[in-house]
Amino acid sequence: MAQRDAVCTVICLTDTLNVCVGAEWIKHMSRNMGKKNIAALTMVRNDSFFLERWVRYYGERLGYANLYVYFDGQDQEIPPFCSGLNARSVD
């Protein structure tokens, strides 16, 4: 069976009970955020195409310093478009 590569997103928010989904959640939180802490994180393997879009999308909305990207495996290089965010390779 061939290995499937994918980008998965988890968004973490503290001090709120609001539950929305996807882009609607981000719009809602940007209007009602105040001083909440927010971050998006993902784990990826061999998928620079979608990761670059993920970084751009969430970076523009949440700030690049609030993004966390974990690369599945030490054999992957961290791409240049991941500078300015929290990126590391894990085993």
Side-chain angles (χ1 to χ4, degrees):
M1 181 189 304
Q3 177 181 351
R4 250 187 113 180
D5 301 322
V7 177
C8 175
T9 303
V10 176
I11 298 179
C12 305
L13 179 71
T14 60
D15 301 330
T16 186
L17 297 176
N18 297 310
V19 178
C20 299
V21 176
E24 289 304 313
W25 183 81
I26 292 174
K27 288 178 194 173
H28 172 78
M29 293 316 301
S30 64
R31 287 191 303 267
N32 301 300
M33 198 150 160
K35 293 191 175 190
K36 308 287 188 229
N37 296 316
I38 189 168
L41 62 100
T42 189
M43 179 172 252
V44 64
R45 177 159 185 84
N46 300 327
D47 197 347
S48 292
F49 179 81
F50 287 110
L51 179 61
E52 187 170 9
R53 283 146 183 81
W54 184 92
V55 166
R56 185 173 48 242
Y57 181 84
Y58 287 106
E60 289 172 355
R61 285 154 181 82
L62 306 178
Y64 292 93
N66 296 320
L67 302 183
Y68 293 82
V69 178
Y70 295 93
F71 291 88
D72 179 23
Q74 298 288 333
D75 59 330
Q76 299 181 83
E77 291 184 27
I78 297 175
F81 61 82
C82 287
S83 64
L85 52 97
N86 305 287
R88 63 183 290 206
S89 296
V90 295
D91 284 329

